[in-house]
Amino acid sequence: MSWKRIWKSVAGALAGLAILNAFCAVYHNPSPYQWAEHRATDTIRKPLSYDIQAKEGFCLVQVDENGYSNPPKAGDEEISVLMMGSSHTEGFNMLPGQIVSAVLERELRAAGRTGRVYNIGVSRHIFARNAANMPRALARFRPTDFVVIETSSVVMTSMMVWNAMHDVYPRLPATNIPLSFITHQPLFKRIYKQMLDLLFADADPEQEEGGTLMQLMTPENLELYEQALTEWFALLSEQARAAGVRLIIMYHPHLIPQMDGSFASDTIEPCLAAFRSACEKTGVIFLDLTEAFMRAAEDEHRLPHGFANTAMGIGHLNPTGHRIAAEELCRVILEEEAAVQ
Amino acid sequence: MSFVSIPFFVFFAVVLILQCLLRKPRARHVVLLAASYVFYGWWDWRFCGLMLFVTAIAYVTALAIERRRGDKAPLVIGVVAPLAALFVFKYANFFLDGFCALFRIQRASALRIILPVGISFYTFQSLSYTIDVYRGKLRACRDPVRFALYVSFFPQLVAGPIVKANEFMPQLDEDRRPTPARVSRGLTEFFFGAFKKAVLADNIAVFSDAVFGAVGAYGSATVALAVVAYALQIYFDFSGYSDMATGAARCLGYDLPVNFDLPYIARNVSEFWKRWHISLSSWLMQYLYIPLGGNRRGKVRTYVNLMVTMILGGLWHGADMSFVIWGLLHGAALCAHKAYSRRHPPKPGRWRRAAASALTVAWVTLLWVFFRAENMGHAMLILRRLFQFAPGVEQLSVWTIAGVALLAGGTFWCARGCRSQADGVHGRLPDLALGTFWGALGFTLLAGFTIILMYTGVSPFIYFQF
């Protein structure tokens, strides 16, 4: 093969890579994770960057100055509700105005309430990790009324509870290590993500860590489970009270369509009962979205998870799920405030 | 070991390098044979024993047929033994269930038999070899390595194309090895197939599997879209595998027959079967339909032969009544077309042709419901839901729409080239010669889009189960 042909071949390949890179910039170009020095969350997104994702749903989100998924700050209005959670709360499958925090803020303003709803949800932050970070998040953002922690699972392992209560969770890795120019290219990021997904196709940290508990679910163990949750939630409730806010745990199960046309949630009922009971005993407000999701599925034929480029009932919360979550949160917040007054 | 997996890429790279390095054809054959057994044993090493059994039976009986001309005993053994193995592993439970249902016998439990991957494919290959030797079309192969390689050649081992001995064994007599041109062409075909399978079929499957898995919850429009999605999924999945098999074989120096030729532009069901899974259609034609008498014994017998061939073709795909019904309805459509075309010779006209194609594709798509359904009850539920116009969850599947657009665009582009070329769709695949600017650009885009857009969950090839 002559040098001329080799050069032509290399030039063609480089031109192809440039086109692919441009495509990835609008198809999947997540803002990189950085470690959050304040530890309100383990990681944040690169501040004032954009996040584009069209693999599941479609999003074009502007990351705010703190590295979270919020619209640009308007004035110095104080934060009334702080939302913590995983990729569901972060809403990186949604357009900015559709995310639960944005919808909730609109709903609360329509009801005559002032104050911002500030979203510090970040992908990979499961419930226990957020619970561990909560005191620092409250100190950092100083919400005035409520802190909400979202979870899609009510199954917690003893390791999760221990790590959260003693604040010894190993920190999540960040990907902003300045290796080279190449690692910041959309194409590289996409290929890296695809390779990780290929290698760890079914890894769901929340479900995986909870999986072992399922096999040990005996009445005795469930009693111990509820005791552990009660102790843990009492600590969380106390931490929230010390910061002058009330804690809301928002649980959103997946609804799975069934062959006969009905819908079943993926909730593990005994664990949900333990969760609910522990919340009641400790003054934590527990918002279970199962019924609201079920109503939407049966009456409106709308499911809270899934997108047009995936399948209904799987994956992340979709616009319907975010809307329902916001409406239910708004209802609970207004009811709580009415009860206090 | 799936074609779209990291272990396969490593495995294939090692085999390809060894094929390039080895000088003697015999050594290359031995390495390919060993690689084929490693590839097959990757699923379950016990499967190799069954393949070895089928290979040994065909090898020995073919030699006996040639030695004892006129004696039918070796032929009977050569045909019955592999079919018996296929029957036991694939159909035992189906027929036992049928027998028990007929005589109202309560079965304690089903036989726990694992279905070996690709058993139907290599059984049919060995049968074609035995029958061809009996018919005198082929000399019995005396070299056990070469014959075993014909049966087990890993690119087409588990999901075809079904390669007849007279198509493949002569290639083993030649000094075939990887060349830059062949590798370039083979990789293009491989990634073209990988794009169809890993990007289109697998992403569409996420939607269609969800709908068929809970069909009662979805509205009629979504069920209809899921039926279309499955028609696309099975085409992209199976033709994608065939392209990958052809491409991998070409890299190693061998040519496999074309298995798909724009099936969804067929103007009637008869033409559809000349374009869809061509290697199976031609196998059934040569080794079943024609021996039954074909169309040489009158109208009624022709229709009976067509029905028998299609029902057995349906049963080849799987041991369930839904496959039998699928084959039966295709057979009925073939009979109807034969009867119609005897009285009404085809008339020219673009719109007439387009209407005929639309009608054919609609019929074929509807019949895929039986193919996809888990059983007859499930098939009937899907059809009821489809025509009930009942409300339910509705979803517009972006990947299905993209698949329809790509298939329509690609088919139109290929069909235009068809007028001047006699060969199949493979002949019109752009030759992305890696030594040119445009070739390297095209190949980078093809491979790159496959990696970027591929579905990364678990998604086996549909035809592996057959």
Side-chain angles (χ1 to χ4, degrees):
Chain A
M1 193 183 272
S2 68
W3 280 107
K4 196 177 173 185
R5 288 186 69 156
I6 290 172
W7 281 118
K8 276 184 181 175
S9 186
V10 169
L14 287 176
L17 290 175
I19 294 169
L20 290 169
N21 201 41
F23 174 80
C24 286
V26 294
Y27 178 71
H28 181 86
N29 190 17
S31 178
Y33 294 115
Q34 298 183 352
W35 271 317
E37 297 307 324
H38 46 66
R39 292 290 307 270
T41 52
D42 284 21
T43 55
I44 54 172
R45 300 282 184 172
K46 186 183 173 189
L48 300 176
S49 62
Y50 284 93
D51 193 287
I52 296 176
Q53 197 274 105
K55 195 188 169 200
E56 186 194 5
F58 177 75
C59 80
L60 172 59
V61 170
Q62 188 181 9
V63 181
D64 71 7
E65 64 283 357
N66 294 318
Y68 297 112
S69 169
N70 290 286
K73 194 175 177 183
D76 287 327
E77 200 176 4
E78 61 187 3
I79 294 167
S80 64
V81 180
L82 181 68
M83 294 200 68
M84 304 181 78
S86 62
S87 49
H88 293 283
T89 300
E90 187 182 32
F92 270 103
N93 306 86
M94 312 288 297
L95 294 171
Q98 298 173 321
I99 298 174
V100 57
S101 51
V103 181
L104 176 60
E105 188 172 305
R106 281 202 301 274
E107 295 265 334
L108 288 173
R109 285 189 196 283
R113 288 276 320 267
T114 56
R116 294 176 71 194
V117 176
Y118 195 66
N119 182 347
I120 61 166
V122 184
S123 300
R124 310 180 297 173
H125 284 64
I126 60 171
F127 175 80
R129 189 176 292 279
N130 280 317
N133 289 331
M134 190 186 75
R136 288 184 291 275
L138 293 174
R140 167 83 181 171
F141 295 104
R142 300 181 184 284
T144 55
D145 300 327
F146 292 94
V147 58
V148 181
I149 309 183
E150 161 257 313
T151 182
S152 60
S153 174
V154 285
V155 180
M156 305 287 146
T157 62
S158 52
M159 183 66 83
M160 284 172 167
V161 178
W162 174 268
N163 282 346
M165 285 184 78
H166 297 86
D167 195 16
V168 289
Y169 246 117
R171 208 168 177 185
L172 283 171
T175 52
N176 62 326
I177 308 157
L179 277 177
S180 70
F181 166 76
I182 294 172
T183 57
H184 292 283
Q185 297 306 307
L187 176 60
F188 177 85
K189 284 192 277 187
R190 180 70 192 138
I191 291 174
Y192 176 71
K193 177 80 171 61
Q194 286 288 84
M195 291 301 119
L196 280 185
D197 287 353
L198 260 186
L199 290 171
F200 308 107
D202 295 323
D204 176 351
E206 208 151 359
Q207 298 300 331
E208 200 171 78
E209 287 181 45
T212 48
L213 189 80
M214 286 287 299
Q215 294 146 10
L216 302 169
M217 206 181 291
T218 60
E220 296 78 26
N221 282 345
L222 281 169
E223 201 178 317
L224 286 173
Y225 183 55
E226 191 179 319
Q227 277 175 18
L229 288 181
T230 306
E231 200 181 323
W232 182 22
F233 292 174
L235 176 68
L236 292 176
S237 182
E238 183 51 41
Q239 288 168 341
R241 200 170 298 125
V245 295
R246 291 198 65 189
L247 170 63
I248 301 174
I249 295 176
M250 182 179 78
Y251 169 60
H252 61 98
H254 281 83
L255 284 198
I256 303 154
Q258 304 294 298
M259 193 65 90
D260 63 0
S262 63
F263 301 90
S265 85
D266 61 353
T267 302
I268 294 150
E269 289 297 337
C271 292
L272 178 65
F275 228 77
R276 183 177 284 124
S277 170
C279 285
E280 277 169 11
K281 286 177 189 167
T282 55
V284 173
I285 304 162
F286 184 62
L287 173 58
D288 177 6
L289 294 175
T290 310
E291 272 187 37
F293 282 175
M294 206 61 96
R295 275 199 305 275
E298 286 169 354
D299 301 344
E300 302 170 34
H301 306 296
R302 287 178 180 275
L303 288 172
H305 297 87
F307 295 86
N309 49 359
T310 56
M312 287 294 130
I314 60 165
H316 286 94
L317 286 169
N318 59 23
T320 301
H322 279 264
R323 175 182 58 78
I324 294 170
E327 286 171 359
E328 289 296 303
L329 267 174
C330 182
R331 180 184 60 76
V332 167
I333 287 171
L334 294 176
E335 278 175 10
E336 285 297 320
E337 287 188 340
V340 169
Q341 285 164 9
Chain B
M1 199 188 301
S2 170
F3 277 176
V4 191
S5 68
I6 292 170
F8 178 78
F9 292 136
V10 174
F11 163 83
F12 188 68
V14 171
V15 174
L16 189 59
I17 290 167
L18 284 174
Q19 291 296 298
C20 291
L21 293 177
L22 293 170
R23 287 176 177 274
K24 291 185 178 173
R26 177 77 178 172
R28 288 201 295 274
H29 293 164
V30 170
V31 166
L32 270 183
L33 179 61
S36 297
Y37 272 81
V38 169
F39 177 82
Y40 195 52
W42 198 270
W43 274 279
D44 189 330
W45 61 269
R46 290 170 297 179
F47 293 172
C48 294
L50 184 66
M51 188 163 69
L52 198 61
F53 167 75
V54 172
T55 306
I57 288 287
Y59 176 75
V60 172
T61 51
L63 288 175
I65 286 167
E66 207 166 64
R67 210 171 297 134
R68 297 155 61 180
R69 282 274 165 218
D71 185 357
K72 285 195 173 178
L75 172 72
V76 171
I77 294 168
V79 171
V80 170
L83 283 178
L86 182 65
F87 182 87
V88 168
F89 282 94
K90 193 166 177 176
Y91 300 107
N93 275 318
F94 173 69
F95 283 105
L96 278 174
D97 283 343
F99 180 82
C100 291
L102 191 65
F103 294 100
R104 299 177 185 222
I105 301 167
Q106 188 78 33
R107 270 184 83 189
S109 62
L111 295 176
R112 295 179 66 186
I113 300 170
I114 307 168
L115 177 63
V117 182
I119 184 172
S120 310
F121 288 92
Y122 61 75
T123 302
F124 270 36
Q125 284 200 181
S126 70
L127 286 178
S128 76
Y129 167 76
T130 309
I131 295 168
D132 279 354
V133 170
Y134 176 78
R135 286 173 176 172
K137 286 185 177 175
L138 202 68
R139 299 270 305 157
C141 178
R142 281 173 168 71
D143 181 352
V145 171
R146 276 181 30 199
F147 180 69
L149 180 56
Y150 156 66
V151 177
S152 66
F153 186 51
F154 75 85
Q156 44 77 231
L157 173 61
V158 289
I162 300 168
V163 186
K164 294 182 199 79
N166 58 8
E167 292 168 330
F168 189 77
M169 295 197 61
Q171 296 181 43
L172 296 174
D173 296 333
E174 300 164 14
D175 185 16
R176 296 222 173 196
R177 57 168 67 215
T179 62
R182 278 189 159 274
V183 171
S184 165
R185 179 81 181 150
L187 285 178
T188 305
E189 280 176 320
F190 187 90
F191 274 101
F192 184 64
F195 184 85
K196 285 205 268 186
K197 160 64 185 165
V199 177
L200 296 173
D202 288 353
N203 279 305
I204 289 170
V206 173
F207 165 69
S208 66
D209 285 352
V211 176
F212 288 127
V215 71
Y218 288 90
S220 297
T222 301
V223 175
L225 191 61
V227 172
V228 172
Y230 186 70
L232 292 173
Q233 182 198 341
I234 194 165
Y235 170 70
F236 288 133
D237 189 287
F238 192 22
S239 73
Y241 181 89
S242 294
D243 290 341
M244 280 189 267
T246 310
R250 206 181 301 282
C251 286
L252 297 169
Y254 299 92
D255 298 313
L256 298 182
V258 173
N259 215 16
F260 289 86
D261 188 14
L262 308 177
Y264 288 141
I265 61 164
R267 278 165 288 180
N268 53 64
V269 181
S270 175
E271 188 185 341
F272 174 79
W273 281 105
K274 287 174 185 144
R275 293 172 174 273
W276 179 276
H277 202 173
I278 299 166
S279 63
L280 175 68
S281 308
S282 64
W283 196 99
L284 290 172
M285 168 80 90
Q286 282 182 32
Y287 301 103
L288 190 59
Y289 178 69
I290 291 174
L292 285 172
N295 57 4
R296 303 183 306 272
R297 297 188 184 173
K299 275 186 205 172
V300 175
R301 186 63 192 270
T302 302
Y303 296 145
V304 170
N305 291 343
L306 273 174
M307 294 300 284
V308 168
T309 304
M310 291 313 292
I311 288 171
L312 288 176
L315 205 54
W316 176 87
H317 285 89
D320 194 274
M321 193 48 80
S322 55
F323 287 109
V324 176
I325 299 294
W326 176 74
L328 187 134
L329 290 171
H330 265 289
L334 283 172
C335 293
H337 170 252
K338 210 166 218 6
Y340 179 83
S341 57
R342 274 186 175 143
R343 290 161 189 255
H344 306 88
K347 292 175 186 170
R350 184 181 291 182
W351 292 109
R352 202 182 289 271
R353 280 205 305 268
S357 285
L359 206 61
T360 305
V361 82
W363 174 252
V364 168
T365 300
L366 192 66
L367 292 197
W368 284 130
V369 168
F370 293 95
F371 197 90
R372 170 60 180 80
E374 281 147 31
N375 48 51
M376 269 308 286
H378 189 209
M380 296 319 290
L381 181 65
I382 295 169
L383 290 176
R384 256 203 317 277
R385 198 72 195 165
L386 187 60
F387 296 110
Q388 217 171 22
F389 302 107
V393 175
E394 300 290 3
Q395 184 192 356
L396 186 70
S397 165
V398 169
W399 279 107
T400 305
I401 306 296
V404 169
L406 279 173
L407 184 62
T411 302
F412 180 72
W413 181 65
C414 290
R416 284 185 64 177
C418 233
R419 291 171 194 158
S420 56
Q421 294 183 34
D423 55 359
V425 69
H426 283 241
R428 289 180 298 283
L429 198 76
D431 191 2
L432 304 176
L434 298 180
T436 64
F437 175 84
W438 293 110
L441 172 67
F443 181 78
T444 308
L445 290 179
L446 180 62
F449 276 120
T450 304
I451 294 167
I452 288 167
L453 299 173
M454 75 189 287
Y455 176 72
T456 49
V458 178
S459 181
F461 286 94
I462 293 174
Y463 263 70
F464 276 11
Q465 63 190 299
F466 308 136

